[in-house]
Amino acid sequence: MGLDEDSLDYHASDPPGKIEISTTKPTNTQRDLSLAYSPGVAAPCRHIDADPEDAFKYTAKGNMVGVVSNGSAVLGLGDIGAQASKPVMEGKGVLFKRFADIDVFDVELDRESADDIIESVAAMEPTFGGINLEDIKAPECFEIETRLREEMDIPVFHDDQHGTAIISGAALLNAAEIAGKDLEDLEVVFSGAGASAIASAKFYVSLGVQRENITMCDSSGIITEDRDVNEFKAEFASPEGEGGDLADAMEGADVFVGLSVGGIVSQEMVQSMADNPIVFAMANPDPEIGYEEAKAARDDTVIMATGRSDYPNQVNNVLGFPFIFRGALDVRATDINEEMKVACAEALADLAKQDVPDAVVKAYGDQPLQFGPEYIIPKPLDPRVLFEVAPTIAEAAIDSGVARRDLDLEEYREELEARLGKSREMMRIVLNKAKSDPKRVALGEGDDEKMIRAAYQMAEEGIAEPVLIGDHDTIDGVVSGLGLDFDPEIVDPDEGDHEEYAERLYELRQRKGITRSEAESLVKRDPNYLGSTMVEAGDADALLTGLTHHYPSALKPPLQVVGTAPDADYVAGVYMLTFKNRVIFCADTTVNQDPDADVLAEVAEHTADLARRFNVDPRVAMLSYSNFGSVDNEGTRKPRDAARMLRDDDDVAFPVDGEMQADSAVVEDILEGTYEFSDLDAPANVLIFPNLEAGNIGYKLLQRLGGADAIGPMLVGMGEPVHVLQRGDEVKDIVNLAAVAVVDAQQNGD
């Protein structure tokens, strides 16, 4: 089946289209409905009538954008009319929601004249917090946007003009830096003189390109002052007598910007450009010159960008409009001005210089993504764009005077991260605690690239003071190869004798079968023993390891050297699972195979303490396949006895009950309706599984089928902060566990 057939099936599958309206408030009871509509709805109506600004408080206006088109210039399809453009506008709504959690109504207007469109859109101002104009042909689009911005008191943004301008502008900032050229000295040639080309040329001037250094060509060649063109093209007309064709314009140019048609640039034209040329061939679906052809045309560096996703440096408008509107809506901006657009480009350019998350690398086929000629702008699926760009937009709106609402930008970043999932919201709590008092975290397997990148992030964000255990030369080579501005502390087992650690290991294990020579050998060849001994000796506050080891083998050295806490006899592995509106801690998922009641009770206490570090008040359920004695055997008695032991302990300060089935523990209707006698006054958020098999199966099913994000495994019960990673964990997992370890160490020091 071809792409067209796949797309038709995709759009036609029930329900047709790509978007729907869903409710955000309860509608289950008669009271719910009376609040949602009559008679309760009268109260917010009266408040808005008294103060129109209350519309942002009592309605969805503040998160609602209208995507408006008449279908007169749909990319790749031309003037197909309003009705036929609806799939495109629905698609735009999908992107708004997917990337910035913005709700959209798509509005297709069967109108042709600029006056009719302006009148129609302006009349919808009470409905929307912002207007995204889309696929409206030039030159009408210029007049429509300009007049609507003047008439309306909400942001109006024509993405076809400014989206490409902003994203390619970000690429230009980085490309010029890599090529060693100053913006003010760049000679820039445009192929194409439509809405996006003219807007891009204007924007490049805002970035620092000199107006006189821009040459614009249309299908008739270089636009000059003696040609009869519209007022928008005339703004970039070259002096009379400096005419010629595109090939003439490109000779000696530093930058080519293609927003025209495919295949019109030859290798000879690229060869005629200045040293280390910048080529943005953005015609879709076929660029003005192919990626391979442009690269092969020169022996020096050709910095190339296209509009295609199958080549490096895709100029994709989705990097801009969702996040621009997100920032604008959240400060209730009246406009999206030049300061906000420049701020967006600069933020995107800066983000491209940062280390790229593993999830983004995997999404793009594990291809290397590192700042340089092949990576000058972030990838569209990079989740960091939201909380890097939107706050920059909000700040620019505030500073330039178009915001009606002020924000604490640090708190705002955290709010944005929460939009990406509950796990980010929960981890932000721990990350902030870690930043308040960073601790030394030893990283076993410190010469692994992921560990090094994680160490860089820890240091960069002020989460921890990382200590990499590994080969010094290897670590230096990776740091240099990744281009990290980072001088990490390194403990190389082969450098120095580490005699004090070997001696300490011998003291701890001499009656457990380890000789002095074996202790020296273990410290020298096994970073887990070296790191564990560093923590035990107080030379590091915490240890992370296990990235390239099986879990049991990575856990063995810390257990032997660090051991359990003074008030603990057992350790356990805990996963925090985050859903859209709830958090659950699952234990034990990694350590104890067949715990008795004493172990289950202790694991519950440790896990409850862990929940509190995430600012969660624990409610503990001891799980089984039995509900409160419905089955009585040795297996069901263990969780029942553990719950009783905890309830009888005056030092236990959290509600606990069991044995109980999983649905009884987490479903409020079952808990309150059937088991109203339970000591749990709300669904449990700490689930203690009866054995390792059940715990491991349970958390993985919740993660994979329940759509939960999993953070962990977090070890509880250790004498010092030690966490064992899962093999293949990503950099973000390492950083998250490092933050948990730092908070552990902070509490140990209190």
Side-chain angles (χ1 to χ4, degrees), residues 175-183 185-186 253-255 274-278:
E177 179 179 329
I178 293 167
K181 300 181 180 184
D182 294 329
L183 289 177
D185 298 328
L186 293 178
D254 297 290
V255 182
D275 293 342
N276 299 318
I278 299 167

Side-chain angles (χ1 to χ4, degrees), residues 3-50:
L3 181 62
D4 284 354
E5 290 79 7
D6 285 345
S7 178
L8 291 172
D9 286 346
Y10 173 85
H11 284 81
S13 61
D14 195 42
K18 299 186 285 284
I19 58 177
E20 67 178 5
I21 296 174
S22 62
T23 59
T24 61
K25 301 295 188 296
T27 56
N28 300 318
T29 67
Q30 177 60 38
R31 177 169 174 76
D32 290 339
L33 296 177
S34 69
L35 292 173
Y37 194 52
S38 180
V41 75
C45 289
R46 285 192 292 266
H47 275 263
I48 295 169
D49 182 43

Side-chain angles (χ1 to χ4, degrees), residues 393-470:
I393 300 299
E395 184 176 22
I398 293 168
D399 291 345
S400 61
V402 297
R404 288 177 287 195
R405 179 185 176 206
D406 204 358
L407 289 175
D408 182 308
L409 293 175
E410 192 58 39
E411 291 181 3
Y412 180 48
R413 281 186 174 87
E414 295 180 14
E415 292 172 10
L416 291 171
E417 282 198 72
R419 288 183 180 274
L420 297 179
K422 191 72 174 177
S423 62
R424 284 183 175 270
E425 179 183 353
M426 299 305 297
M427 274 312 306
R428 180 52 54 189
I429 294 169
V430 171
L431 289 166
N432 286 341
K433 289 181 180 179
K435 289 179 182 180
S436 69
D437 184 17
K439 301 294 184 181
R440 286 168 58 82
V441 178
L443 302 174
E445 306 145 307
D447 44 19
D448 183 273
E449 179 183 313
K450 287 184 179 179
M451 281 293 200
I452 295 168
R453 290 169 52 212
Y456 171 73
Q457 287 191 24
M458 294 174 208
E460 189 76 2
E461 297 178 26
I463 295 167
E465 300 170 9
V467 180
L468 293 166
I469 302 175

Side-chain angles (χ1 to χ4, degrees), residues 675-688:
Y675 303 108
E676 71 282 354
F677 58 81
S678 172
D679 287 343
L680 298 181
D681 57 1
N685 51 29
V686 173
L687 305 181
I688 307 302

Side-chain angles (χ1 to χ4, degrees), residues 139 142-143 198 202 216 229-236:
F142 298 112
E143 179 185 358
I198 292 171
K202 289 182 177 180
M216 185 168 287
V229 294
N230 64 49
E231 61 181 295
F232 306 103
K233 290 185 179 183
E235 185 176 348
F236 289 96

